[in-house]
Amino acid sequence: MRTLTARRTAAVALTAAASVVALAGPAFAHVTVNPGSAAQGGYTAVDFRVPNESDTASTVKLEVNLPLDHPLASVRTLPLPGWSAAVEKSKLDKPIKVHGSDVTEAVSKITWTADAGTKIAPGQFQEFRLSLGPLPTDADSMAFKALQTYDNGDVVRWIDESKDGQPEPAHPAPVLKLTKAAAGDGHGVTASPAAGAHGDSSDHAAAAGDGKSSDDTARTLGVVGIVVGVIGTAVGVLGLRRRNSGSAS
């Protein structure tokens, strides 16, 4: 009887652990903006990270919509070999002041299209980099609704906005969280992102690289924690079975 109970316990524990691992995977597959936060009022460089979620089709186009309720006066793309970037602008209902000048239009959408022979294949991902600014000072986040197009015609719409107290939607829009500027920084921006946004591409790379490294490290630690938990569960169940077997004999 004890042996049977131990076997059932082992089955339940391993099934639960496998479920945790399975549920952890999809959370990493969303289109995201990295790093996920920047200072209000400043300039920053970000990557839109696009994983290919299909097992049979490849990603060949990405459309990113920029919010016009908080328009950005400066938006620049970083050239990406094998991809063409088309920038669309829209007239603003109300001009905004930037460095003392009126800005009457702003970038509303950027579309990256793969050149012939280029694609994001199954099991791969790609990053599309932008410099943005100045970021709004009257908002705590910005959502960038995105559309991911596959070579079989499928389109995944990453446009759902998350709401506090509710489960994350199936296709959440990439969100950049905006934080208060550091004390004593009149422009709300650290030295590296500010310099990069005004033309120093090496600072852009450093800022985005740091965010990517932190994000990848956090994800790696999360996966390692899950694996360690699974191993611990298996070892514990094995010890219980051996103890029960010894008692029965």
Side-chain angles (χ1 to χ4, degrees), residues 83-104:
W83 295 81
S84 300
V87 178
E88 297 181 27
K89 294 185 176 181
S90 296
K91 285 285 186 181
L92 301 178
D93 294 334
K94 182 180 179 180
I96 58 174
K97 284 279 188 183
V98 178
H99 304 307
S101 300
D102 286 335
V103 175
T104 59

PDB file of all heavy atoms in Angstrom, residues 83-104:
ATOM      1  N   TRP A  83      16.722  43.657 -43.694  1.00  0.00           N
ATOM      2  CA  TRP A  83      15.391  44.212 -43.403  1.00  0.00           C
ATOM      3  C   TRP A  83      15.319  45.663 -43.864  1.00  0.00           C
ATOM      4  O   TRP A  83      16.282  46.409 -43.726  1.00  0.00           O
ATOM      5  CB  TRP A  83      15.082  44.137 -41.908  1.00  0.00           C
ATOM      6  CG  TRP A  83      14.975  42.740 -41.379  1.00  0.00           C
ATOM      7  CD1 TRP A  83      16.005  41.916 -41.017  1.00  0.00           C
ATOM      8  CD2 TRP A  83      13.775  41.999 -41.168  1.00  0.00           C
ATOM      9  NE1 TRP A  83      15.528  40.708 -40.599  1.00  0.00           N
ATOM     10  CE2 TRP A  83      14.163  40.729 -40.666  1.00  0.00           C
ATOM     11  CE3 TRP A  83      12.416  42.279 -41.318  1.00  0.00           C
ATOM     12  CZ2 TRP A  83      13.223  39.747 -40.341  1.00  0.00           C
ATOM     13  CZ3 TRP A  83      11.486  41.317 -40.999  1.00  0.00           C
ATOM     14  CH2 TRP A  83      11.886  40.054 -40.518  1.00  0.00           C
ATOM     15  N   SER A  84      14.151  46.043 -44.392  1.00  0.00           N
ATOM     16  CA  SER A  84      13.906  47.423 -44.799  1.00  0.00           C
ATOM     17  C   SER A  84      12.909  48.047 -43.835  1.00  0.00           C
ATOM     18  O   SER A  84      11.894  47.429 -43.494  1.00  0.00           O
ATOM     19  CB  SER A  84      13.337  47.476 -46.226  1.00  0.00           C
ATOM     20  OG  SER A  84      14.250  46.883 -47.149  1.00  0.00           O
ATOM     21  N   ALA A  85      13.193  49.269 -43.386  1.00  0.00           N
ATOM     22  CA  ALA A  85      12.319  49.951 -42.434  1.00  0.00           C
ATOM     23  C   ALA A  85      11.615  51.121 -43.107  1.00  0.00           C
ATOM     24  O   ALA A  85      12.257  51.976 -43.715  1.00  0.00           O
ATOM     25  CB  ALA A  85      13.127  50.451 -41.243  1.00  0.00           C
ATOM     26  N   ALA A  86      10.287  51.143 -43.019  1.00  0.00           N
ATOM     27  CA  ALA A  86       9.474  52.237 -43.554  1.00  0.00           C
ATOM     28  C   ALA A  86       8.865  53.003 -42.391  1.00  0.00           C
ATOM     29  O   ALA A  86       8.222  52.405 -41.521  1.00  0.00           O
ATOM     30  CB  ALA A  86       8.380  51.696 -44.469  1.00  0.00           C
ATOM     31  N   VAL A  87       9.080  54.315 -42.366  1.00  0.00           N
ATOM     32  CA  VAL A  87       8.605  55.160 -41.270  1.00  0.00           C
ATOM     33  C   VAL A  87       7.422  55.995 -41.743  1.00  0.00           C
ATOM     34  O   VAL A  87       7.512  56.689 -42.763  1.00  0.00           O
ATOM     35  CB  VAL A  87       9.734  56.077 -40.762  1.00  0.00           C
ATOM     36  CG1 VAL A  87       9.226  56.983 -39.650  1.00  0.00           C
ATOM     37  CG2 VAL A  87      10.920  55.246 -40.273  1.00  0.00           C
ATOM     38  N   GLU A  88       6.309  55.925 -41.005  1.00  0.00           N
ATOM     39  CA  GLU A  88       5.123  56.712 -41.321  1.00  0.00           C
ATOM     40  C   GLU A  88       4.915  57.784 -40.255  1.00  0.00           C
ATOM     41  O   GLU A  88       5.076  57.515 -39.061  1.00  0.00           O
ATOM     42  CB  GLU A  88       3.878  55.820 -41.392  1.00  0.00           C
ATOM     43  CG  GLU A  88       3.941  54.774 -42.486  1.00  0.00           C
ATOM     44  CD  GLU A  88       2.669  53.931 -42.537  1.00  0.00           C
ATOM     45  OE1 GLU A  88       1.600  54.441 -42.133  1.00  0.00           O
ATOM     46  OE2 GLU A  88       2.756  52.768 -42.978  1.00  0.00           O
ATOM     47  N   LYS A  89       4.541  58.985 -40.696  1.00  0.00           N
ATOM     48  CA  LYS A  89       4.269  60.088 -39.780  1.00  0.00           C
ATOM     49  C   LYS A  89       2.815  60.520 -39.895  1.00  0.00           C
ATOM     50  O   LYS A  89       2.187  60.362 -40.938  1.00  0.00           O
ATOM     51  CB  LYS A  89       5.198  61.268 -40.070  1.00  0.00           C
ATOM     52  CG  LYS A  89       6.667  60.985 -39.789  1.00  0.00           C
ATOM     53  CD  LYS A  89       7.511  62.228 -39.967  1.00  0.00           C
ATOM     54  CE  LYS A  89       8.971  61.967 -39.600  1.00  0.00           C
ATOM     55  NZ  LYS A  89       9.796  63.204 -39.745  1.00  0.00           N
ATOM     56  N   SER A  90       2.307  61.076 -38.813  1.00  0.00           N
ATOM     57  CA  SER A  90       0.934  61.580 -38.786  1.00  0.00           C
ATOM     58  C   SER A  90       0.916  62.996 -38.215  1.00  0.00           C
ATOM     59  O   SER A  90       1.730  63.349 -37.352  1.00  0.00           O
ATOM     60  CB  SER A  90       0.039  60.674 -37.930  1.00  0.00           C
ATOM     61  OG  SER A  90      -0.057  59.380 -38.484  1.00  0.00           O
ATOM     62  N   LYS A  91      -0.031  63.807 -38.722  1.00  0.00           N
ATOM     63  CA  LYS A  91      -0.212  65.151 -38.203  1.00  0.00           C
ATOM     64  C   LYS A  91      -0.789  65.079 -36.802  1.00  0.00           C
ATOM     65  O   LYS A  91      -1.654  64.245 -36.508  1.00  0.00           O
ATOM     66  CB  LYS A  91      -1.153  65.939 -39.108  1.00  0.00           C
ATOM     67  CG  LYS A  91      -0.534  66.388 -40.425  1.00  0.00           C
ATOM     68  CD  LYS A  91       0.411  67.566 -40.209  1.00  0.00           C
ATOM     69  CE  LYS A  91       0.923  68.103 -41.551  1.00  0.00           C
ATOM     70  NZ  LYS A  91       1.860  69.246 -41.336  1.00  0.00           N
ATOM     71  N   LEU A  92      -0.317  65.939 -35.939  1.00  0.00           N
ATOM     72  CA  LEU A  92      -0.809  65.980 -34.570  1.00  0.00           C
ATOM     73  C   LEU A  92      -1.989  66.932 -34.457  1.00  0.00           C
ATOM     74  O   LEU A  92      -1.989  68.003 -35.065  1.00  0.00           O
ATOM     75  CB  LEU A  92       0.311  66.416 -33.619  1.00  0.00           C
ATOM     76  CG  LEU A  92       1.563  65.534 -33.595  1.00  0.00           C
ATOM     77  CD1 LEU A  92       2.598  66.134 -32.645  1.00  0.00           C
ATOM     78  CD2 LEU A  92       1.214  64.114 -33.184  1.00  0.00           C
ATOM     79  N   ASP A  93      -2.974  66.535 -33.670  1.00  0.00           N
ATOM     80  CA  ASP A  93      -4.119  67.410 -33.434  1.00  0.00           C
ATOM     81  C   ASP A  93      -3.687  68.688 -32.726  1.00  0.00           C
ATOM     82  O   ASP A  93      -4.234  69.776 -32.965  1.00  0.00           O
ATOM     83  CB  ASP A  93      -5.179  66.685 -32.593  1.00  0.00           C
ATOM     84  CG  ASP A  93      -5.797  65.504 -33.330  1.00  0.00           C
ATOM     85  OD1 ASP A  93      -5.798  65.545 -34.574  1.00  0.00           O
ATOM     86  OD2 ASP A  93      -6.253  64.560 -32.668  1.00  0.00           O
ATOM     87  N   LYS A  94      -2.684  68.548 -31.866  1.00  0.00           N
ATOM     88  CA  LYS A  94      -2.177  69.691 -31.122  1.00  0.00           C
ATOM     89  C   LYS A  94      -0.658  69.641 -31.140  1.00  0.00           C
ATOM     90  O   LYS A  94      -0.065  68.651 -30.709  1.00  0.00           O
ATOM     91  CB  LYS A  94      -2.690  69.658 -29.679  1.00  0.00           C
ATOM     92  CG  LYS A  94      -2.244  70.831 -28.848  1.00  0.00           C
ATOM     93  CD  LYS A  94      -2.794  70.727 -27.422  1.00  0.00           C
ATOM     94  CE  LYS A  94      -2.329  71.893 -26.557  1.00  0.00           C
ATOM     95  NZ  LYS A  94      -2.861  71.792 -25.162  1.00  0.00           N
ATOM     96  N   PRO A  95       0.008  70.683 -31.664  1.00  0.00           N
ATOM     97  CA  PRO A  95       1.477  70.672 -31.702  1.00  0.00           C
ATOM     98  C   PRO A  95       2.063  70.531 -30.297  1.00  0.00           C
ATOM     99  O   PRO A  95       1.452  70.930 -29.312  1.00  0.00           O
ATOM    100  CB  PRO A  95       1.825  72.043 -32.309  1.00  0.00           C
ATOM    101  CG  PRO A  95       0.594  72.452 -33.057  1.00  0.00           C
ATOM    102  CD  PRO A  95      -0.561  71.906 -32.250  1.00  0.00           C
ATOM    103  N   ILE A  96       3.255  69.941 -30.240  1.00  0.00           N
ATOM    104  CA  ILE A  96       3.961  69.822 -28.962  1.00  0.00           C
ATOM    105  C   ILE A  96       5.232  70.652 -29.017  1.00  0.00           C
ATOM    106  O   ILE A  96       5.792  70.898 -30.095  1.00  0.00           O
ATOM    107  CB  ILE A  96       4.300  68.352 -28.640  1.00  0.00           C
ATOM    108  CG1 ILE A  96       5.159  67.729 -29.759  1.00  0.00           C
ATOM    109  CG2 ILE A  96       3.038  67.541 -28.409  1.00  0.00           C
ATOM    110  CD1 ILE A  96       5.644  66.330 -29.440  1.00  0.00           C
ATOM    111  N   LYS A  97       5.663  71.118 -27.853  1.00  0.00           N
ATOM    112  CA  LYS A  97       6.878  71.910 -27.758  1.00  0.00           C
ATOM    113  C   LYS A  97       8.051  70.995 -27.428  1.00  0.00           C
ATOM    114  O   LYS A  97       8.008  70.233 -26.466  1.00  0.00           O
ATOM    115  CB  LYS A  97       6.733  72.961 -26.660  1.00  0.00           C
ATOM    116  CG  LYS A  97       5.865  74.165 -27.042  1.00  0.00           C
ATOM    117  CD  LYS A  97       6.647  75.175 -27.862  1.00  0.00           C
ATOM    118  CE  LYS A  97       5.820  76.459 -28.049  1.00  0.00           C
ATOM    119  NZ  LYS A  97       6.549  77.432 -28.920  1.00  0.00           N
ATOM    120  N   VAL A  98       9.099  71.076 -28.220  1.00  0.00           N
ATOM    121  CA  VAL A  98      10.319  70.308 -27.963  1.00  0.00           C
ATOM    122  C   VAL A  98      11.504  71.239 -28.145  1.00  0.00           C
ATOM    123  O   VAL A  98      11.726  71.771 -29.241  1.00  0.00           O
ATOM    124  CB  VAL A  98      10.440  69.098 -28.910  1.00  0.00           C
ATOM    125  CG1 VAL A  98      11.741  68.345 -28.639  1.00  0.00           C
ATOM    126  CG2 VAL A  98       9.253  68.160 -28.748  1.00  0.00           C
ATOM    127  N   HIS A  99      12.228  71.473 -27.059  1.00  0.00           N
ATOM    128  CA  HIS A  99      13.389  72.368 -27.078  1.00  0.00           C
ATOM    129  C   HIS A  99      13.021  73.744 -27.640  1.00  0.00           C
ATOM    130  O   HIS A  99      13.780  74.352 -28.410  1.00  0.00           O
ATOM    131  CB  HIS A  99      14.538  71.759 -27.882  1.00  0.00           C
ATOM    132  CG  HIS A  99      14.967  70.409 -27.397  1.00  0.00           C
ATOM    133  ND1 HIS A  99      15.301  70.148 -26.079  1.00  0.00           N
ATOM    134  CD2 HIS A  99      15.111  69.213 -28.058  1.00  0.00           C
ATOM    135  CE1 HIS A  99      15.646  68.868 -25.953  1.00  0.00           C
ATOM    136  NE2 HIS A  99      15.530  68.280 -27.130  1.00  0.00           N
ATOM    137  N   GLY A 100      11.827  74.194 -27.289  1.00  0.00           N
ATOM    138  CA  GLY A 100      11.392  75.532 -27.674  1.00  0.00           C
ATOM    139  C   GLY A 100      10.767  75.647 -29.048  1.00  0.00           C
ATOM    140  O   GLY A 100      10.315  76.733 -29.448  1.00  0.00           O
ATOM    141  N   SER A 101      10.693  74.545 -29.791  1.00  0.00           N
ATOM    142  CA  SER A 101      10.115  74.575 -31.140  1.00  0.00           C
ATOM    143  C   SER A 101       8.820  73.775 -31.186  1.00  0.00           C
ATOM    144  O   SER A 101       8.655  72.796 -30.451  1.00  0.00           O
ATOM    145  CB  SER A 101      11.109  74.014 -32.162  1.00  0.00           C
ATOM    146  OG  SER A 101      12.309  74.766 -32.169  1.00  0.00           O
ATOM    147  N   ASP A 102       7.898  74.189 -32.075  1.00  0.00           N
ATOM    148  CA  ASP A 102       6.644  73.470 -32.262  1.00  0.00           C
ATOM    149  C   ASP A 102       6.861  72.264 -33.170  1.00  0.00           C
ATOM    150  O   ASP A 102       7.467  72.384 -34.246  1.00  0.00           O
ATOM    151  CB  ASP A 102       5.584  74.383 -32.884  1.00  0.00           C
ATOM    152  CG  ASP A 102       5.037  75.403 -31.897  1.00  0.00           C
ATOM    153  OD1 ASP A 102       5.094  75.127 -30.680  1.00  0.00           O
ATOM    154  OD2 ASP A 102       4.572  76.468 -32.339  1.00  0.00           O
ATOM    155  N   VAL A 103       6.366  71.110 -32.746  1.00  0.00           N
ATOM    156  CA  VAL A 103       6.403  69.891 -33.556  1.00  0.00           C
ATOM    157  C   VAL A 103       4.977  69.552 -33.938  1.00  0.00           C
ATOM    158  O   VAL A 103       4.122  69.375 -33.068  1.00  0.00           O
ATOM    159  CB  VAL A 103       7.044  68.721 -32.768  1.00  0.00           C
ATOM    160  CG1 VAL A 103       6.972  67.436 -33.588  1.00  0.00           C
ATOM    161  CG2 VAL A 103       8.481  69.050 -32.410  1.00  0.00           C
ATOM    162  N   THR A 104       4.686  69.526 -35.236  1.00  0.00           N
ATOM    163  CA  THR A 104       3.309  69.351 -35.712  1.00  0.00           C
ATOM    164  C   THR A 104       3.010  67.950 -36.222  1.00  0.00           C
ATOM    165  O   THR A 104       1.853  67.637 -36.510  1.00  0.00           O
ATOM    166  CB  THR A 104       3.014  70.355 -36.844  1.00  0.00           C
ATOM    167  OG1 THR A 104       3.940  70.141 -37.924  1.00  0.00           O
ATOM    168  CG2 THR A 104       3.169  71.797 -36.339  1.00  0.00           C
TER     169      THR A 104
END
